[in-house]
Amino acid sequence: MKKLRKAEAMECAISLVCEEDGREETLNILVDVAHMAVTSRTFAPDIREWDSFAEQKLIPELALIPYHALYQDGYGDERFLIGAFDALRFYRGDDVDEMVKKLSPYFPQACSPDPSLKVIDFDVRGNQVILYLGKPELENYSGDGWDETPYEFYAGTVGSAYIEDAVVLNFPADTAVFQACEAQDECPKLGISGNVSKNRLRAKKIPCVLYSRDGENYREIRFDDVIGEVLKAADVPVSKFEHLV
């Protein structure tokens, strides 16, 4: 039996350190972007005691909190959320295979969006990229703070009236994924300097998302790109993003 030793919760991903017959291995899994994963380090009464508390099973090593509107947009403290009635809690020594069965409903669920829709907004959370999609003929669309810089601080999601669908691109852990605000450091050849607004990203056709599998050659996603072409180039599992606002 594979036993849970430690867990690391990254944005939308969980890394499980398992032990079986004295050997350790690491299992990396993605969870749906709408859910929250936290570990013993998040909610131990004293950060210096989290390891011993987890070892004694006084606190769970890992918990996954299913999406609920109450938790959206950062409402509530993570220490409080761990008490959520619908949280899944796992303790050190638990059977990892049984854990994965219980977690499986929260893995990204595959979907196939209308390939003619186009990208009208984006969000990057770890190695998962949310793309909001609008009709091909849509010309004028925007959101709160789209003229403000830097966009990552002030720009909200595109107006819900423009959204026809929203999907999540699930890139593997070894893929480097960046959004535009990071691109000026990672890809200086793009010519991005200083703060940018979402409206400038769109007007100047500046890539809003970049990704690379080898750390050198980057593919780009821009506003108004046709989603069918984006998905063909990315070649990654695609899931539906249910919680638009």
Side-chain angles (χ1 to χ4, degrees):
M1 181 179 75
K2 293 181 182 177
K3 294 183 178 181
L4 177 65
R5 287 302 305 150
K6 290 188 179 181
E8 185 73 26
M10 297 157 281
E11 195 160 22
C12 314
I14 302 170
S15 180
L16 304 177
V17 178
C18 319
E19 183 181 50
E20 185 176 25
D21 298 328
R23 300 188 306 272
E24 279 193 357
E25 64 175 286
T26 301
L27 177 64
N28 296 308
I29 57 177
L30 287 172
V31 294
D32 191 289
V33 73
H35 307 301
M36 177 189 288
V38 294
T39 67
S40 53
R41 289 180 292 284
T42 303
F43 50 86
D46 188 317
I47 196 66
R48 294 169 297 182
E49 299 177 308
W50 68 266
D51 194 56
S52 62
F53 278 24
E55 194 67 43
Q56 299 173 62
K57 300 187 179 182
L58 298 176
I59 54 177
E61 174 61 28
L62 173 73
L64 185 136
I65 303 167
Y67 173 84
H68 188 284
L70 174 66
Y71 314 148
Q72 194 174 348
D73 298 327
Y75 291 117
D77 181 83
E78 286 183 351
R79 294 172 188 263
F80 167 74
L81 290 181
I82 200 61
F85 72 94
D86 50 358
L88 297 180
R89 300 173 181 82
F90 304 101
Y91 295 83
R92 287 200 186 173
D94 281 0
D95 184 332
V96 172
D97 290 335
E98 288 300 315
M99 286 178 59
V100 172
K101 288 180 183 178
K102 292 178 180 178
L103 288 168
S104 61
Y106 306 101
F107 295 168
Q109 303 298 308
C111 75
S112 299
D114 179 343
S116 70
L117 297 176
K118 68 179 184 179
V119 176
I120 60 172
D121 202 2
F122 69 99
D123 191 11
V124 177
R125 303 186 188 180
N127 270 43
Q128 288 174 298
V129 176
I130 303 170
L131 296 178
Y132 298 89
L133 310 177
K135 293 180 179 179
E137 64 272 18
L138 183 63
E139 293 295 332
N140 298 312
Y141 58 88
S142 188
D144 291 340
W146 276 35
D147 280 322
E148 301 294 327
T149 62
Y151 77 84
E152 62 268 29
F153 291 161
Y154 297 109
T157 304
V158 67
S160 58
Y162 305 117
I163 301 173
E164 292 296 313
D165 202 353
V167 296
V168 182
L169 278 59
N170 300 282
F171 288 94
D174 59 357
T175 302
V177 183
F178 303 99
Q179 58 178 312
C181 63
E182 301 164 314
Q184 57 188 336
D185 297 323
E186 298 299 328
C187 306
K189 65 181 181 180
L190 292 175
I192 301 174
S193 59
N195 300 325
V196 291
S197 67
K198 276 193 175 179
N199 278 337
R200 184 181 172 215
L201 291 179
R202 184 186 173 208
K204 299 293 184 181
K205 299 190 182 301
I206 298 171
C208 53
V209 178
L210 300 97
Y211 59 92
S212 171
R213 292 185 170 89
D214 60 10
E216 296 180 2
N217 301 298
Y218 286 82
R219 288 188 178 274
E220 304 165 354
I221 302 174
R222 295 178 170 85
F223 280 103
D224 297 316
D225 279 356
V226 177
I227 190 61
E229 295 302 315
V230 170
L231 299 184
K232 187 184 300 183
D235 190 25
V236 294
V238 182
S239 53
K240 196 170 186 65
F241 184 53
E242 301 285 355
H243 314 288
L244 301 184
V245 290

